[in-house]
Amino acid sequence: MNESPNVQASRYAADDEISLVDLAKILIRRWKLMTVVFCLVVATGMGYAWITLQTSPEPRNAYTTLFSVGYKTPTVFIEPLGAVTTQLEDAFIPAARRKLESDLPVQVNYEERRNINEDGSNVIRLVTTLPADSPREPVAALHESALSSVIERHDQIYAALVQQSGSWGEGDQDNDGRLFVPSEVTSLAQLTFVKESTDNNSAILIISLSVLLGGMLALMAAFFAQFIAAVKKSFNEDACNDENI
């Protein structure tokens, strides 16, 4: 006896409904597959974390020298910070390397003014980053040698400005309100930053993510396997029905 379309639709709708009990049965029935997928993903994550630890870079220290550029007015430097930086990078640091027979790296940076009315900082930083067990003295010698040329140049400009104003006192103002402040090294090769190894934290994060991903993939594998089994069962039922007709 053939079923009416409404009865067939109701039966198919009932077949498509999945209860929590059905979900629990799927998870229990597929626990072996879930365990295999979970273990494979976690093992892969742990292997990657181990490789990360084995290839981790050594800790490094940063030695920073602070150079304060002098003022010829309360808001105008003896020389623009960009010009001083260019002189250091292109001339004075290479010359200091040749003089000291050093190949130490030096990065030069400063805080740039965002607008013309902003005072900003007059500090230029020389930063040398080296392995943690490297001595400080060669870095200090290189920084000091490079900056000595800048200081000599600025002292000449400073002396000329003071002579023109007729005021020889450091920090004194002339009749036009100009304030003369010389350039100077305020801090020489100080250990300002220690790059601690974060690989342990990275390894923990990798393992944690692998556990989470393993659980998600295990659930997906269980439901996918159940779906494949249901499709096969449906094909078998259709084949049996075709044989009985």
Side-chain angles (χ1 to χ4, degrees), residues 107-125:
Q107 291 183 336
V108 185
N109 58 75
Y110 64 94
E111 183 180 349
E112 191 170 1
R113 294 185 181 185
R114 289 172 291 184
N115 57 71
I116 193 171
N117 296 321
E118 186 180 26
D119 290 341
S121 172
N122 69 325
V123 175
I124 293 178
R125 294 176 177 83

Side-chain angles (χ1 to χ4, degrees), residues 233-245:
K233 181 179 179 182
S234 177
F235 274 117
N236 293 334
E237 290 177 352
D238 291 343
C240 292
N241 292 334
D242 293 341
E243 291 177 358
N244 292 333
I245 294 176

Side-chain angles (χ1 to χ4, degrees), residues 6 29 38 49 59 74 81 91 95 120-122 168 177 190 196-197 215 225 235 239 242 244:
N6 292 336
R29 187 179 298 114
F38 179 79
L81 300 185
S121 172
N122 69 325
W168 292 92
Q190 295 299 313
E196 297 180 353
S197 176
F235 274 117
D242 293 341
N244 292 333

Side-chain angles (χ1 to χ4, degrees), residues 12-88:
Y12 292 148
D15 292 340
D16 290 339
E17 293 179 357
I18 299 178
S19 65
L20 294 178
V21 175
D22 295 330
L23 293 177
K25 288 181 179 179
I26 293 173
L27 297 180
I28 294 173
R29 187 179 298 114
R30 305 294 178 181
W31 71 270
K32 291 184 180 179
L33 175 62
M34 293 174 61
T35 302
V36 171
V37 173
F38 179 79
C39 291
L40 285 176
V41 174
V42 174
T44 302
M46 294 180 66
Y48 182 75
W50 183 81
I51 293 175
T52 301
L53 290 175
Q54 296 300 315
T55 58
S56 61
E58 59 182 343
R60 298 172 68 83
N61 292 345
Y63 296 97
T64 301
T65 293
L66 302 180
F67 176 66
S68 298
V69 176
Y71 289 88
K72 59 183 178 182
T73 73
T75 58
V76 178
F77 303 131
I78 292 178
E79 276 192 304
L81 300 185
V84 177
T85 299
T86 300
Q87 293 173 21
L88 284 168

